[in-house]
Amino acid sequence: MSRSVLISGASIAGPALAYWLSRYGFTVTVVEKASAVRGGGYPIDARGPAVEVLRRMGLLEAARERHVATRRITFLDAGGAQLAQIEPEELTGGVAGQDIELRRGDLTDLLYGAVRDEAEFRFGDSITTLDDHGDGVDVTFRSGLRRTFDLVIGADGLHSNTRTLVFGPEKQFHHYLGYCFAGFTAPNYLGLSHEAVTWTVAGRTATLYATDDSERMHGFLSFSREDAPLHAFADPAAQRDLVASYFTGDGWEVPRLVETMRSADDLFFDVVSQIRMPVWSKGRVVLAGDAAHATSFLSGQGSSLALIGAYLLAYELADAEHPAAFAAYDRRAREFMTRNQDLAPAGALMLSPRTEEELAARNAALRDPDGLPAETSREVHSNLTLPPERVVTG
Ligand SMILES: Cc1cc2nc3c(=O)[nH]c(=O)nc-3n(C[C@H](O)[C@H](O)[C@H](O)COP(=O)(O)OP(=O)(O)OC[C@H]3O[C@@H](n4cnc5c(N)ncnc54)[C@H](O)[C@@H]3O)c2cc1C
């Protein structure tokens, strides 16, 4: 019996789910509020089982061709003097030659390309109401469309609309990690190539990241702050002012980077937060990817978890009705997701130390490679065995 499923969100978890569920005989619709699959070039990673998911989707070679091959990360002190230079894997726990680092937009393009002809994509729309009446879910869309689906999956990110509609306000599940960040495109005025340079003082970090040797690179400004500045979310000008206010009087390239942030046309500002939920499903609705278990960029694992979770959820749905499938998915995935989320504090200490004491400890760790968290991270990244693909009949 073919089941219909609506997926909200066409980034990483959404198209990956669409691919696997289409393959397992579901009729899939994906709704994405943006007018197309979103670009956005910041680098993300596929590690451990996520690389295997890409292989099983037939995307491994294409993903490898887009690998950005970051050579090194250079750490600078307040005045811009070099503290250390390390290979990224020494910090992240990645495995050189196996893991893939690619621009987020390249990954979403590949995933969308793998499923665009198998699923219906509704861009520029989103869910406004969901009524799960036991036999199906009646959905109304912002466009005015009304449809009924057997299942609905929220793959719509950290601030998931589906989660709010079904589970209630985000604040119940939102764990603010004490940082805010701004990401934007900047001219590559230092001539960087396949490398990141990161400047840190207690509570503030400025990073330049060149994924290639082109004239553009990524700029990131992050700062620690006790409370989440919710007032800034509705107002882009307030976001720029807020970020700039944390970086007044700083050295190195920071003033130039702040100026670039002020005029950037692709500024992305957000809190650094996780989503932690005791259950990921309710009735016929389930959450996936960041919507269910956002881990933050401090763990470097969000994209891998989105790919792995999509594979596992589709695997369970292929063989069981939704109550049993959702329960089996939870049993199989939860510990892995939680352990990966638990990597974020160590990442924060390395990338964004908050106090002078944390900064000194971080700098000491940089001088002693055994002090870096890579080994622990590596074990956590790969500590899950994917079940084999379901055999598709008929
Ligand atoms: C600056 C930065 C750096 C990062 N670095 C890394 C890294 O190094 N490694 C790593 O693995 N991960 C990294 N991540 C995390 C990674 O980007 C996410 O974990 C990953 O994108 C999660 O994928 P997702 O599909 O679950 O959600 P998202 O990528 O957040 O996608 C959600 C989708 O839902 C859509 N949407 C939202 N609301 C609605 C709605 N109402 N209706 C319809 N559609 C909607 C959005 O437009 C979007 O397309 C980083 C994230 C950021 C922001």
Side-chain angles (χ1 to χ4, degrees):
M1 184 192 72
S2 169
R3 286 178 283 173
S4 62
V5 58
L6 172 68
I7 299 169
S8 175
S11 174
I12 297 174
L17 271 158
Y19 173 89
W20 287 106
L21 289 172
S22 299
R23 188 147 153 193
Y24 293 146
F26 286 73
T27 304
V28 180
T29 302
V30 183
V31 60
E32 163 60 53
K33 74 173 177 187
S35 55
V37 171
R38 285 152 104 100
Y42 65 78
I44 51 92
D45 306 274
R47 300 192 182 113
V51 177
E52 177 60 14
V53 172
L54 290 175
R55 191 188 70 73
R56 293 183 190 183
M57 295 177 77
L59 297 176
L60 187 57
E61 288 319 308
R64 285 212 187 286
E65 282 166 19
R66 290 159 178 80
H67 178 55
V68 300
T70 302
R71 293 179 299 153
R72 62 187 177 209
I73 306 174
T74 304
F75 290 84
L76 305 178
D77 69 11
Q82 182 174 316
L83 285 168
Q85 201 165 64
I86 62 174
E87 292 176 10
E89 293 80 15
E90 293 180 75
L91 179 68
T92 62
V95 183
Q98 286 181 35
D99 296 350
I100 306 172
E101 183 185 26
L102 69 177
R103 293 180 194 87
R104 183 175 159 285
D106 284 351
L107 180 58
T108 52
D109 271 355
L110 286 178
L111 295 168
Y112 174 57
V115 70
R116 62 185 302 168
D117 297 332
E118 314 301 324
E120 174 196 356
F121 280 81
R122 298 187 57 79
F123 288 105
D125 207 352
S126 70
I127 300 170
T128 47
T129 65
L130 285 167
D131 176 20
D132 180 351
H133 48 77
D135 298 327
V137 189
D138 294 340
V139 180
T140 59
F141 294 86
R142 201 177 49 202
S143 58
L145 183 79
R146 288 166 185 269
R147 295 251 295 263
T148 301
F149 297 88
D150 292 316
L151 301 171
V152 174
I153 304 179
D156 38 12
L158 175 67
H159 306 295
S160 167
N161 173 48
T162 311
R163 188 182 56 232
T164 301
L165 289 171
V166 175
F167 294 86
E170 179 174 316
K171 63 173 191 261
Q172 306 165 77
F173 313 112
H174 185 125
H175 291 255
Y176 174 60
L177 297 182
Y179 299 92
C180 302
F181 78 96
F184 48 93
T185 302
N188 188 356
Y189 38 65
L190 297 183
L192 302 180
S193 169
H194 297 271
E195 62 187 311
V197 177
T198 184
W199 168 99
T200 319
V201 297
R204 302 192 298 289
T205 300
T207 301
L208 303 177
Y209 203 147
T211 53
D212 53 25
D213 45 16
S214 74
E215 292 174 355
R216 316 283 279 166
M217 63 181 173
H218 305 285
F220 296 100
L221 292 166
S222 68
F223 55 88
S224 67
R225 179 184 159 105
E226 206 57 38
D227 59 312
L230 300 177
H231 65 279
F233 277 92
D235 180 358
Q239 294 171 6
R240 290 175 207 268
D241 288 345
L242 179 74
V243 177
S245 73
Y246 275 81
F247 289 90
T248 50
D250 283 326
W252 185 57
E253 291 289 327
V254 174
R256 181 144 61 150
L257 204 52
V258 170
E259 278 317 301
T260 306
M261 180 274 299
R262 278 203 174 279
S263 56
D265 57 13
D266 61 350
L267 178 67
F268 182 68
F269 174 81
D270 209 343
V271 286
V272 181
S273 297
Q274 295 188 333
I275 294 296
R276 294 195 181 232
M277 305 181 71
V279 286
W280 294 324
S281 63
K282 193 174 198 177
R284 292 175 171 271
V285 181
V286 65
L287 302 173
D290 272 13
H293 43 65
T295 169
S296 86
F297 71 84
L298 295 172
S299 79
Q301 277 291 90
S303 308
S304 290
L305 301 191
L307 287 169
I308 294 164
Y311 179 88
L312 295 176
L313 179 56
Y315 174 85
E316 300 298 352
L317 281 167
D319 200 45
E321 290 299 323
H322 64 276
F326 293 163
Y329 170 62
D330 200 298
R331 279 195 300 279
R332 203 183 273 278
R334 185 168 289 277
E335 186 184 345
F336 178 71
M337 301 304 179
T338 306
R339 288 193 69 207
N340 276 278
Q341 290 185 305
D342 290 345
L343 295 174
L349 193 60
M350 295 311 300
L351 296 173
S352 304
R354 246 177 275 228
T355 61
E356 293 298 342
E357 292 72 29
E358 286 186 1
L359 182 62
R362 194 287 301 268
N363 291 346
L366 287 174
R367 288 190 290 273
D368 166 19
D370 290 339
L372 298 173
E375 273 314 314
T376 312
S377 304
R378 201 165 288 136
E379 186 273 324
V380 174
H381 296 166
S382 58
N383 196 0
L384 180 132
T385 305
L386 293 176
E389 291 168 52
R390 299 277 187 201
V391 177
V392 183
T393 52

